[in-house]
Amino acid sequence: MTHIFFEPSIDPGIKDVIQAQLEAIEAEHNARILFAIESGSRAWGFPSPDSDYDVRFVYAHKDDWYLSLTPGRDVIELPIDGDLDINGWDIRKALNLLLKPNPVLLEWLSSPIHYRWNTTVCEALIGFSKQVTHGAACLHHYLHLGQRQWKVYIEGKDEVSLKKYFYIVRPAMAIRWLRLRPDSAPPMNFQALMAGTDVPEALQVRLLDLLAAKSRTKELGLAPRVPEIDEFVTGEFDWAASATSEVSRASDKVDVQADDLFRDIVRGAV
């Protein structure tokens, strides 16, 4: 097995800018940010030198905010500013999505890069997420995502942008994770996915070579398709297409637990 290394890092100057933006959000919206993480190629494990900073967060308002006849907006989005893309979800929206479950929120909770991290709240959210069935919903999500990317960037082309392979291989790798570990959600980080899915050695070598090249240059350019990657991706997509079944919804008991967790978070009990 090839050794896979990933050292998540963010420039301290950028961190300071992001922290200032998060503080401004809390002041403007009278909200409390529960966690803020990096979600994108820098957290996925295949950044380029010019990759954006995709900051995602979950927040809670004061309890009176939720006691209104007119529901408030449940997302906060800042205009994209240069390399900064910052937006987040209200905790009620986040928990409702977690009940589906929503693989995006599950990924946020597994991000290797934290800007804010309320340990007590995050441990409660992670613990609760483990009671929700991930398999069918995650499988459907990653299959749909991967097939869409395949049609846009790979299908029908003799030469492709090599960096686009990662946007297709990551969902395929997540599908493989779910096939081998149906009771746990796939991690956000690509290297962690590879390490936990027993990927064939030949494919690992090709992917690690591409990772190294992508980390050094803004664009890898066009090149012939990589047979090992194509075979892996189509094989996982074919398996997922045959395995996908109706998405199961959380039980009423879990719904009650989610309500209790929501109230505890808003009241500051956790």
Side-chain angles (χ1 to χ4, degrees):
M1 177 70 68
T2 301
H3 291 292
I4 304 166
F5 299 101
F6 172 68
E7 184 66 34
S9 63
I10 299 292
D11 179 88
I14 295 295
K15 276 188 176 180
D16 290 343
V17 172
I18 291 171
Q19 292 295 347
Q21 294 273 28
L22 296 175
E23 290 172 7
I25 288 169
E26 288 182 313
E28 179 181 350
H29 296 273
N30 193 24
R32 174 172 57 111
I33 291 177
L34 306 173
F35 71 85
I37 52 86
E38 181 68 23
S39 174
S41 60
R42 294 181 184 276
W44 293 341
F46 43 84
S48 299
D50 60 342
S51 291
D52 293 342
Y53 296 88
D54 298 297
V55 182
R56 301 293 179 261
F57 60 93
V58 171
Y59 60 92
H61 286 285
K62 303 291 186 182
D63 53 2
D64 282 351
W65 186 89
Y66 300 99
L67 302 174
S68 173
L69 294 176
T70 304
R73 195 161 185 261
D74 58 5
V75 297
I76 295 174
E77 298 171 300
L78 299 189
I80 294 177
D81 181 11
D83 292 336
L84 290 180
D85 181 358
I86 304 176
N87 61 73
W89 294 341
D90 175 75
I91 183 60
R92 181 164 59 188
K93 176 185 179 72
L95 280 170
N96 273 313
L97 289 171
L98 190 58
L99 286 170
K100 291 184 182 294
N102 184 293
V104 175
L105 182 59
L106 293 171
E107 285 193 358
W108 290 5
L109 289 168
S110 73
S111 174
I113 300 176
H114 299 169
Y115 299 112
R116 293 277 192 92
W117 193 258
N118 183 317
T119 301
T120 302
V121 171
C122 291
E123 286 182 354
L125 288 170
I126 292 170
F128 175 72
S129 75
K130 292 177 180 179
Q131 301 180 57
V132 182
T133 301
H134 310 123
C138 286
L139 195 62
H140 183 271
H141 167 81
Y142 287 116
L143 176 61
H144 179 72
L145 173 64
Q147 287 178 329
R148 185 172 69 247
Q149 301 278 12
W150 178 272
K151 288 179 180 178
V152 173
Y153 298 118
I154 306 296
E155 190 173 71
K157 297 178 174 64
D158 294 325
E159 292 190 326
V160 299
S161 170
L162 292 180
K163 75 174 186 177
K164 298 299 184 185
Y165 262 130
F166 289 109
Y167 297 99
I168 296 151
V169 173
R170 197 177 77 93
M173 200 80 69
I175 289 170
R176 187 180 183 90
W177 178 284
L178 288 165
R179 179 156 62 87
L180 299 175
R181 304 163 181 251
D183 295 327
S184 65
M188 172 186 286
N189 178 252
F190 185 75
Q191 286 84 349
L193 277 172
M194 286 183 66
T197 50
D198 193 26
V199 176
E201 183 77 15
L203 178 63
Q204 279 199 39
V205 170
R206 297 305 301 265
L207 290 174
L208 291 174
D209 286 346
L210 286 182
L211 281 171
K214 190 174 187 298
S215 69
R216 293 191 298 265
T217 182
K218 296 179 180 180
E219 295 291 340
L220 296 184
L222 296 178
R225 288 164 59 170
V226 180
E228 294 91 343
I229 296 178
D230 284 0
E231 181 179 354
F232 171 76
V233 167
T234 55
E236 295 302 327
F237 288 176
D238 287 346
W239 176 84
S242 65
T244 302
S245 59
E246 184 178 352
V247 175
S248 58
R249 181 64 165 78
S251 68
D252 291 342
K253 180 180 178 181
V254 176
D255 285 349
V256 171
Q257 292 174 356
D259 279 338
D260 290 341
L261 179 57
F262 166 68
R263 295 187 187 103
D264 285 345
I265 289 173
V266 170
R267 292 168 180 164
V270 293

